[in-house]
Amino acid sequence: MTNGWQTVQLGDILTRVKSELTIDDSVTYKQVTVRLWNKGVILRGEQEGTDIKTKRQFFVKTGQLLMSRIDVRNGAIGLVPKELDGAIVSNDFWVYDFDENQIYPEFLALYVKTPNFIEDADRTSSGTTKRIRAEESRFLEIEIPLPPLTEQRRIAEGIESLAARVNAAQRLREEADSATEKYFASVTSQLFTELSEKYRPIAIGKTFTFRQDLIRPTDGKSGKIRFVGLQHVESNTGRRIGEDTLYAEQLTGRKFHFSPGEIVYGYLRPYLNKVWIADCEGVCSVDQYVIRPNEKIIDTKYLAYFMRSPAFLHKAIEMTHNLLLPRLRTGLLESILIPVPPLDEQRRIVAYLDGLQAKVNALRGLQSQSQEELDALMASVLDRAFKGEL
């Protein structure tokens, strides 16, 4: 390459380190992991030696390169930070020292974030679907561009300076997103408080019935089924953000049927605030209730807005906070009080909240777009940097 740049294999600049230790049952250990997509090396938790089943572990040092042999193909690689010096990892993680006469560690830490490196790392992994692992010999054969050390430092420091500004912008975006969500929650809280003063609240259980239409593995049915579980419903907004396709003949547990217009409510960990109005036929987990509103007394969207509001959420949390695995049982849910104005007024309230929600969604869309632009900026800078164009 021009300007003193060369191409080297990782094996030329990295040395595998195996700092083995035997777990002492009387010691508390910090355990680390590497987040996917280059999100860094983080503390997974602290655990007593007596609770660690695999007694053969390895400790890491500040500044070493740590990678997951399972997920390096998904960007699980990074430098060990100072606060995790001496933490432990299992044999599913590989630890490397740098030849600092050739490589500036922060330079490599930036390079491993590039799409080129992720693609190369993916090619080093093989195995069955559930046992894909990187092969070390192939990993160490990955080639990277390497300028002189002074140039490496200049590039790394320049990118880190830009990254600091991008991170600051991202924090502002996240704060704006949080403020938007809090504003909508504040509006609904005040609205339902005022309605409770105007209309005497009734038990929410009087406004709906539970649908308990189950499909079981023993039913002998076959064919595709749309599944919308807790993971497919966005907290606080009630948006469906995904679905899975199941096959009736392969079910391993019971599922509840739902239909369009019914409310699917996640009663497991109610603090997650997952309330979705079904827009299709399908099934959900038995950790969700399927609710059929009584249309003679309550509007479905009005009921859903109330169930997402702080008025309902705080009560649900209060009723379940002392449980190890919080579940809002039917009797508790049915006892929560709700103001029920005439249907015409409910519909006016729904129209108002729909309009406000549309504005909130538009603002969140702009914030999401700004995040994509920040991500694209960093990707472009990294690409130019490692082509020697900065």
Side-chain angles (χ1 to χ4, degrees):
M1 299 181 72
T2 59
N3 301 320
W5 286 55
Q6 56 181 318
T7 298
V8 301
Q9 293 186 343
L10 288 181
D12 296 330
I13 58 173
L14 297 177
T15 301
R16 175 84 178 275
V17 180
K18 297 182 181 180
S19 302
E20 186 175 337
L21 61 80
T22 301
I23 295 298
D24 183 338
D25 287 349
S26 65
V27 175
T28 300
Y29 295 91
K30 288 183 178 180
Q31 296 175 307
V32 297
T33 189
V34 193
R35 292 190 295 179
L36 303 183
W37 309 120
N38 305 104
K39 299 299 184 181
V41 178
I42 61 167
L43 178 68
R44 191 177 77 189
E46 296 190 23
Q47 201 168 16
E48 299 290 336
T50 52
D51 297 326
I52 300 175
K53 294 180 180 179
T54 304
K55 297 304 182 183
R56 180 173 176 261
Q57 300 277 326
F58 303 87
F59 66 86
V60 299
K61 295 180 181 179
T62 301
Q64 289 179 322
L65 185 71
L66 180 65
M67 60 163 276
S68 164
R69 58 189 295 237
I70 300 172
D71 284 314
V72 67
R73 61 198 175 92
N74 296 317
I77 184 170
L79 300 184
V80 177
K82 288 189 297 184
E83 63 271 18
L84 295 178
D85 185 68
I88 63 171
V89 293
S90 71
N91 196 43
D92 279 329
F93 294 87
W94 291 340
V95 186
Y96 292 94
D97 280 340
F98 295 87
D99 178 355
E100 296 193 24
N101 291 319
Q102 295 190 71
I103 183 77
Y104 185 55
E106 286 75 10
F107 178 85
L108 182 61
L110 291 167
Y111 182 75
V112 298
K113 296 181 179 183
T114 64
N116 283 345
F117 177 83
I118 298 296
E119 290 173 9
D120 287 341
D122 186 37
R123 285 192 287 269
T124 71
S125 301
S126 62
T128 61
T129 303
K130 294 184 179 180
R131 293 289 300 174
I132 296 177
R133 299 287 190 276
E135 295 179 19
E136 186 174 27
S137 60
R138 295 172 64 190
F139 174 74
L140 292 176
E141 289 172 355
I142 292 176
E143 294 185 339
I144 68 167
L146 197 68
L149 273 171
T150 53
E151 181 69 0
Q152 291 178 42
R153 291 192 181 93
R154 185 191 71 79
I155 290 172
E157 289 168 2
I159 293 176
E160 286 169 357
S161 175
L162 175 62
R165 294 195 292 273
V166 169
N167 289 338
Q170 288 173 332
R171 284 194 295 273
L172 289 173
R173 188 203 65 77
E174 290 166 1
E175 289 169 6
D177 202 25
S178 176
T180 299
E181 191 171 294
K182 287 178 180 177
Y183 172 71
F184 189 82
S186 174
V187 169
T188 57
S189 178
Q190 181 177 349
L191 175 61
F192 287 113
T193 297
E194 292 174 355
L195 287 170
S196 293
E197 293 171 353
K198 185 176 180 181
Y199 300 98
R200 184 177 180 179
I202 65 173
I204 199 171
K206 295 181 179 179
T207 68
F208 65 80
T209 56
F210 290 104
R211 179 181 178 185
Q212 297 180 322
D213 183 7
L214 285 166
I215 179 172
R216 302 174 178 84
T218 56
D219 287 346
K221 296 184 178 180
S222 63
K224 289 183 180 180
I225 308 172
R226 172 182 273 138
F227 173 74
V228 179
L230 286 169
Q231 69 272 31
H232 300 128
V233 179
E234 188 175 57
S235 294
N236 304 317
T237 69
R239 288 196 313 123
R240 177 162 62 91
I241 54 176
E243 63 178 54
D244 288 331
T245 298
L246 304 181
Y247 292 86
E249 60 270 26
Q250 297 175 0
L251 288 181
T252 57
R254 301 172 303 152
K255 301 287 184 286
F256 280 125
H257 283 285
F258 60 74
S259 298
E262 294 173 335
I263 294 176
V264 180
Y265 171 66
Y267 73 89
L268 174 65
R269 299 186 181 91
Y271 55 82
L272 295 175
N273 198 16
K274 299 201 171 191
V275 185
W276 172 58
I277 300 177
D279 56 6
C280 57
E281 294 281 349
V283 299
C284 62
S285 75
V286 290
D287 291 324
Q288 295 160 280
Y289 292 136
V290 179
I291 289 170
R292 283 179 166 171
N294 182 344
E295 295 180 353
K296 293 182 179 179
I297 62 172
I298 198 157
D299 181 89
T300 297
K301 294 188 76 172
Y302 175 88
L303 178 58
Y305 272 125
F306 176 77
M307 292 179 70
R308 289 188 210 109
S309 75
F312 180 90
L313 178 61
H314 293 164
K315 195 67 179 175
I317 293 172
E318 177 187 313
M319 289 175 164
T320 59
H321 77 279
N322 61 341
L323 301 177
L324 184 61
L325 192 61
R327 283 186 169 90
L328 187 63
R329 299 299 184 185
T330 55
L332 293 175
L333 191 159
E334 289 175 313
S335 70
I336 294 175
L337 299 179
I338 179 175
V340 183
L343 280 169
D344 285 348
E345 185 170 352
Q346 291 181 42
R347 292 178 185 125
R348 286 195 295 272
I349 291 167
V350 166
Y352 165 70
L353 292 176
D354 279 350
L356 184 60
Q357 184 71 70
K359 293 177 181 177
V360 167
N361 290 344
L363 183 55
R364 291 182 71 189
L366 289 173
Q367 291 163 353
S368 177
Q369 181 180 342
S370 70
Q371 178 63 59
E372 291 173 3
E373 291 168 351
L374 290 171
D375 291 342
L377 171 63
M378 282 304 302
S380 174
V381 169
L382 287 171
D383 180 62
R384 292 182 60 197
F386 295 110
K387 288 179 178 176
E389 296 175 1
L390 288 184

